[in-house]
């Protein structure tokens, strides 16, 4: 209605009256996006909406490629470059981030789990602003710091970083707006040196997303040192329309500054300062401080002592010095004063291999000379110098050693030892380095690929701590590329430690001591580490402390010639004697018969007689008297496997990865384990090695491998016994084997550690299992799922059909078939269960001619029939004969009845011509056929003689006489 329209009109008129004309403080200028002709417009943008009217009209802007020099900014009103005022700075076409009280606008940080299966909560993992720098996380998460910037032209990004710990990997990379990584030399950042390191990367025109990413991977319960970033600068932006004020603790005194300078120690400045102000009395400030602090009372931890160089009288002065910069006050009640310096003491002797000059300084002996620390002497004829470095007197810092600190402090010499001096903060790293340009075996030592000890460093040390201090010993081919060899926590008694150098690349050793992890504390500066002696053997530029005997008749004016392989030198004579067969020479010991070491069972010496090797074959006599021949050549290739998943206390999943090279002779391959976390990619080699792997997809690879070390580099022997050379392979560690005896390979690692003072050992139990058709099935002890229960003794069970003995004729049997149609087949089959492979093959089926059962049945029936017929014929014959005799007997009896009482006629009258008298005698009376047959057999009388019927006529006469008597 009309009233509403009137009210609305009145409202807008009132608003216009309230909105005054815009002033310069009510708006600011911005450029529009560049068009295809690289042109743009300058427009006014109000700081707050609907607060004023009358904004300036858009005007033609500068060309998109326009930029200002360092120390200048683009004044948008005039669209010209102006110099920054004092107390401010600019990068011209860049931006800088040097204040980290909070996360600057545009930076994003977030954390994710390194392992998708991990239970670790990474939602709170982030980069943490720490005032003048930003620190990475130290938990087991991958934490990313990112920043997106659009460059109008190609530029650069630079930053300073501190990366002292290889237990965390640190990478920097750049992606475009399509999430494609740009080309850079390396995305893996190198470890820092003594101080902050600089990193520079070129950036392309367009959108660039910068990523700083860290992942802690130390799986042991050890503290991890954060990666620190500061002074991030990016160039190539379109312009900067204002200068940045100098942060507190810095200043710029002149116009057009590209950066601000830090205030010196004991001075301070506020934000945007053009000069620094001195601290008042009894206050102090570190360099680059924004305020001063009250000086604490001086204590014994605020000073240290050192020695002056020896004078002409071999005297040295003990000098006491305050820690620099000095922050304590001697005037505060209870403060200590600096002890008086200048006390004279006798200088320690020169170190072995050095001699004392006329100026009371120690100089190294020349080549072919040796010294015990006094005078140099030439090695006698027939000897050679044993070179190296041996430091046991500490009047001055050796020329190849240096001390520095990540913070304040360092190492100082103290006559009998070198020690860490108090620092400004407990978190300061006090570093001592020893540089060795290379190593060289003495001329009399055999060159052999099996030799694992190129050099050895041995040092004696101790630590005294009131908190959880830490001493690290590192080795590497430079100070920038080192790995931690060993570390000690807390107070450690005086002890010796040795490290074997296996590759001729190590040029730097480092001892790093830190009192506490926390920053900003100064409660344990009295904690100290001491090193008493350092010995390095076979150094290229080393000195000699003694001479070694050459082989007799082999020395000349230049060098010694070694004894032949397999020979030792008789002590003090130089005579070379042959070691017994199948023995090797101990490393670094070639003198005396004890240098000959017999090879273990079923091993033989290599060509240089420096190591025992196996050709992967083995002869075993089983308990059943069976001779078994093993050939493990099929398993000799390098084999890798891993343990079951393990979890840290924070839930990070990891594995123990093992690499094995079972056996082989001179040209065998070595197992290799790699550290792919840091840029140096350190490798270790041997019969067996181990590394720790963590699943990860944050680096474009499936696994992160770290902390590699050798667990076997010397083969001791191969046997079926459960112990060898004080190493035991207990059967109860694995499932019971009811078949053939296991064959066990015994190894030892020469490198010793704090926990394994005798070195590590490894046993691989080879078990025949015909069901395992793959090349390997390696398992770990159920009681020790990481392969070891104590970290020093490793045990593995390798099951495979290739671990079975070679097949022989004892492993099969023959099966003979029935004779079928005159053919008999013989088939050969394996004995079950089969516990062999390869070797002899099953013989082919054999076919033989044979006679079937039908033939023998017919033959038997025919033979039986013939025998029956013959028997019937014999019976019939005897029956007929019996009938005939019976007839004759009847005739005789009839004749007797007719002529009773008459003498018989002559015998011949009773025997017809052609008849046998014996028949007449036998059948005189009627007998059965059975008795008649028996009468033909001889009868033996009781006196043992045969009773033979007489054939004369006497018997007839007797009978006739008896008949006459009856008459």
């Amino acid at each position: 209605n009309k009233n509403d329209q009137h009210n609305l009109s009145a409202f807008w008129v009132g608003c216009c009256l309230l909105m005054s004309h815009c002033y310069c403080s009510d708006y600011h200028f911005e450029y529009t996006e560049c068009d295809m002709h690289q042109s743009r417009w300058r427009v006014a943008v109000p700081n707050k909406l609907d607060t004023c009217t009358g904004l300036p009209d858009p005007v033609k802007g500068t060309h998109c490629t326009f930029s200002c020099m360092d120390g200048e900014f683009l004044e948008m009103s005039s669209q010209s470059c102006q110099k920054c005022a004092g107390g401010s700075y600019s990068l011209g076409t860049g931006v800088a981030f040097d204040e980290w009280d909070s996360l600057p606008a545009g930076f994003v940080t977030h954390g994710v789990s390194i392992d998708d299966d991990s239970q670790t909560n990474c939602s709170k993992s982030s980069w943490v602003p720490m005032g003048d720098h930003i620190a990475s996380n130290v938990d087991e998460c991958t934490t990313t710091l990112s920043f997106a910037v659009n460059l109008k032209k190609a530029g650069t990004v630079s930053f300073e970083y501190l990366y002292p710990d290889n237990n965390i990997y640190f990478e920097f990379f750049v992606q475009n707006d399509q999430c494609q990584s740009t080309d850079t030399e390396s995305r893996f950042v190198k470890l820092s040196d003594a101080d902050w390191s600089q990193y520079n990367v070129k950036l392309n025109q367009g959108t660039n997303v910068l990523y700083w990413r860290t992942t802690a991977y130390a799986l042991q319960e050890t503290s991890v040192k954060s990666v620190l970033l500061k002074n991030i600068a990016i160039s190539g932006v379109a312009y900067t329309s204002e200068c940045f004020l100098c942060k507190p603790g810095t200043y710029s005194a002149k116009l057009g500054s590209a950066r601000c300078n830090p205030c010196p120690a004991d001075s301070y400045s506020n934000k945007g300062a053009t000069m620094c102000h001195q601290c008042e009395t009894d206050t102090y400030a570190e360099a680059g401080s924004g305020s001063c602090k009250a000086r604490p009372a001086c204590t014994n931890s605020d000073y240290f002592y050192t020695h002056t160089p020896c004078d002409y009288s071999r005297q040295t002065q003990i000098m006491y010095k305050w820690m620099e910069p000095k922050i304590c006050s001697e005037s505060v009640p209870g403060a200590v004063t600096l002890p008086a310096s200048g006390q004279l003491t006798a200088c320690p002797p020169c170190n072995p291999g050095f001699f004392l000059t006329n100026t009371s300084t120690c100089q190294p002996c020349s080549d072919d000379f040796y010294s015990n620390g006094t005078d140099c002497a030439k090695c006698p004829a027939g000897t050679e110098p044993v070179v190296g470095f041996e430091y046991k007197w500490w009047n001055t810092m050796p020329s190849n050693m240096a001390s520095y600190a990540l913070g304040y402090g360092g190492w100082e010499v103290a006559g009998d030892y070198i020690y860490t001096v108090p620092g400004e903060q407990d978190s300061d790293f006090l570093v001592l380095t020893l540089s060795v340009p290379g190593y060289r075996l003495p001329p009399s030592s055999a060159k052999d690929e099996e030799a694992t000890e190129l050099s050895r460093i041995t040092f004696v040390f101790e630590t005294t701590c009131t908190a959880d201090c830490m001493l690290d010993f590192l080795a590497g081919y430079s100070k920038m590329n080192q790995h931690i060899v060993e570390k000690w926590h807390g107070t450690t008694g005086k002890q010796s430690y040795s490290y074997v150098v296996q590759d001729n690349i190590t040029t730097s050793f480092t001892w790093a001591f830190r009192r506490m992890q926390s920053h900003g504390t100064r409660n344990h500066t009295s904690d100290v580490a001491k090193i008493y002696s350092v010995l390095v053997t076979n150094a290229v530029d080393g000195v000699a402390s003694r001479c070694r005997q050459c082989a007799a008749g082999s020395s000349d004016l230049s060098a010694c010639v070694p004894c032949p392989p397999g020979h030792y030198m008789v002590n003090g004579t130089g005579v070379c004697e042959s070691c017994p067969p199948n023995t090797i020479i101990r490393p670094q010991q070639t003198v005396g018969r004890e240098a000959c070491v017999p090879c273990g069972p079923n091993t033989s010496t290599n060509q240089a007689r420096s190591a025992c090797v196996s050709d992967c074959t083995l002869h075993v006599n089983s308990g059943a008297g069976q001779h078994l021949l093993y050939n493990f050549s099929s398993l000799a290739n390098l084999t890798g496997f891993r343990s079951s998943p393990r979890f840290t206390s924070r839930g990070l999943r990891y594995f123990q990865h093992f690499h094995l090279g079972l056996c082989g002779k001179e040209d065998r391959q070595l197992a290799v384990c790699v550290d792919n976390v840091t840029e140096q990619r350190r490798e270790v080699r041997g019969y067996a090695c181990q590394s720790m792997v963590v699943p990860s997809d944050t680096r474009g690879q499936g696994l992160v491998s770290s902390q590699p070390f050798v667990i076997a580099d010397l083969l001791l022997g191969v046997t079926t016994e459960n112990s060898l050379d004080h190493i035991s392979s207990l059967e109860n560690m694995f499932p019971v084997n009811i078949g053939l005896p296991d064959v066990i390979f015994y190894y030892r690692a020469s490198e010793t550690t704090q926990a394994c003072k005798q070195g590590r050992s490894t046993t691989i139990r080879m078990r025949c299992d015909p069901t395992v058709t793959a090349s390997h099935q390696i398992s770990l002890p159920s009681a020790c799922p990481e392969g070891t229960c104590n970290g020093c003794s490793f045990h593995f069970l390798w099951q495979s059909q290739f671990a079975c003995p070679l097949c022989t004729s004892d492993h099969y049997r023959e099966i003979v078939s029935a004779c079928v149609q005159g053919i008999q087949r013989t088939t050969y089959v394996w004995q079950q269960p089969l516990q062999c492979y390869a070797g002899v093959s099953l013989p082919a089926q054999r076919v033989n001619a044979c006679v079937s059962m039908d033939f023998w049945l017919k033959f038997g029936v025919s033979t039986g029939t013939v025998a029956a017929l013959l028997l019937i014929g014999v019976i019939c014959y005897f029956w007929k004969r019996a009938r005939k005799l019976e007839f004759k007997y009847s005739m005789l009896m009839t004749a007797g009845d007719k002529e009773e009482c008459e003498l018989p006629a002559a015998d011949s009258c009773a025997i017809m011509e052609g008849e046998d008298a014996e028949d007449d005698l036998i059948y005189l009376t009627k007998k059965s056929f059975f008795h008649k047959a028996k009468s033909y057999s001889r009868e033996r009388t009781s006196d043992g003689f045969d009773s033979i019927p007489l054939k004369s006529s006497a018997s007839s006469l007797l009978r006739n006489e008896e008949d006459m008597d009856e008459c």
Side-chain angles (χ1 to χ4, degrees), residues 614-786:
S614 169
D615 62 356
C616 302
T617 62
L618 178 70
H619 294 267
V620 174
N621 291 322
S622 66
Q626 186 180 9
H627 182 74
L628 304 177
L629 173 61
Y630 290 85
N631 190 336
F632 300 105
S633 299
S634 300
L635 305 177
N637 296 328
L638 298 182
T639 303
F641 66 99
R642 66 172 66 171
S643 68
S644 58
R646 310 293 298 165
F647 296 89
T648 65
S649 58
R650 298 178 181 177
L652 176 66
R653 182 166 63 107
Y654 69 94
F655 303 88
Q656 299 291 356
H657 181 79
F658 299 94
H659 214 198
L660 301 180
L662 184 65
C663 54
K665 302 203 78 172
E666 307 287 341
D667 56 347
R668 73 178 189 278
Q669 287 183 295
L670 298 177
V672 180
C673 295
V674 182
D675 178 1
N676 64 2
V677 173
T678 57
E679 183 269 342
Q680 62 185 0
R681 294 186 65 85
R682 185 173 66 94
E683 295 183 353
V684 297
R685 300 171 182 270
Y687 277 102
C689 59
Q690 174 192 329
S691 61
M692 198 172 295
V693 295
V694 179
S696 173
D697 58 358
T698 59
R699 300 183 61 187
Q701 57 188 20
L703 294 175
V704 171
S705 175
S706 64
Q707 302 178 8
F709 58 89
V710 175
I711 61 175
D713 57 18
L714 300 173
L715 177 62
L716 301 181
V718 186
T719 179
T720 57
E721 300 295 329
N722 289 324
S723 63
L724 179 66
D725 194 19
H726 307 291
I727 301 175
S728 297
S729 176
L730 303 180
E731 290 182 300
N732 56 10
M733 288 187 175
F734 301 102
V736 178
N737 180 28
I738 59 176
L740 296 172
D742 295 333
V743 176
I744 307 172
F745 284 75
Y746 290 87
Y747 306 90
R748 194 183 295 279
S750 57
E751 182 179 4
T752 60
T753 64
Q754 181 186 7
C756 307
K757 299 186 183 301
Q758 303 299 323
R760 299 183 178 94
S761 64
T762 299
T763 64
I764 303 178
R765 183 178 287 267
M766 310 300 296
R767 179 169 294 179
C768 172
D769 191 343
T771 62
V772 181
T773 57
S775 60
H776 70 275
Q777 178 178 308
I778 303 177
S779 56
L780 306 176
S782 57
C784 310
E786 293 186 356

